[in-house]
Amino acid sequence: MSGEKRPTTFGELEPSKYPGERLGLPNQGPRSIARVGRRFAALCIDWAIASAVLLPFGLPLGTLWTHVAFGVLQIIFIPTLSGSLGHRIMGLHLVRLGAGGWIGFWKPVVRTLLLMLVVPALVWDSDQRGFHDKVAGTVLIRTRA
């Protein structure tokens, strides 16, 4: 047995060399952590789709209705497509951390409710996972280079 001291708290962990390293994910390419640019583009696409859904109903855009439409679309498409429409267009995929397989229904609901609060999405860890993903036990990864 070596005299090497193992970390016992998060503050004692060595810094990651890249986002996703601690999760066993590659640095680049498919299955790597989705980076900020793609995430932001996916969010803009999803917001535009939510706004477009409201147009035929004559509901005002940029209000609580847009927020609700955004949330409903997230809750519908994350369990069925493993990501929102914006995620899929940008080559992203939402998966359960460590387990793989179907993400289920409740994880997307919890994740979406936290995402709609905005602040949890702005609080990230060193793996670039927002608080909403940490609580839901999910990770947003790339499906293509």
Side-chain angles (χ1 to χ4, degrees):
M1 189 171 184
S2 70
E4 182 180 315
K5 183 182 175 207
R6 300 200 86 128
T8 57
T9 65
F10 183 76
E12 294 176 351
L13 290 173
E14 290 289 323
S16 296
K17 292 179 182 71
Y18 59 88
E21 178 187 28
R22 292 183 190 159
L23 304 174
L25 300 174
N27 183 20
Q28 297 176 351
R31 298 210 40 85
S32 66
I33 292 282
R35 301 304 204 272
V36 179
R38 286 187 193 219
R39 288 174 184 257
F40 184 71
L43 177 67
C44 290
I45 291 167
D46 288 335
W47 197 260
I49 292 169
S51 297
V53 166
L54 298 177
L55 289 176
F57 301 105
L59 295 169
L61 304 179
T63 63
L64 179 64
W65 287 109
T66 311
H67 213 68
V68 169
F70 174 84
V72 168
L73 291 172
Q74 294 285 308
I75 291 170
I76 289 171
F77 289 113
I78 289 176
T80 57
L81 297 178
S82 295
S84 67
L85 294 174
H87 290 154
R88 302 310 286 168
I89 290 168
M90 293 307 301
L92 305 176
H93 186 79
L94 192 71
V95 297
R96 290 187 318 167
L97 188 60
W102 186 55
I103 198 163
F105 179 72
W106 291 109
K107 287 181 183 295
V109 169
V110 169
R111 181 185 188 275
T112 299
L113 291 175
L114 288 169
L115 179 63
M116 290 173 65
L117 293 174
V118 179
V119 174
L122 299 176
V123 178
W124 293 6
D125 66 7
S126 63
D127 290 312
Q128 293 186 0
R129 288 177 60 222
F131 184 70
H132 60 299
D133 277 325
K134 290 182 75 72
V135 169
T138 57
V139 62
L140 192 59
I141 60 172
R142 293 169 55 181
T143 57
R144 60 181 186 257

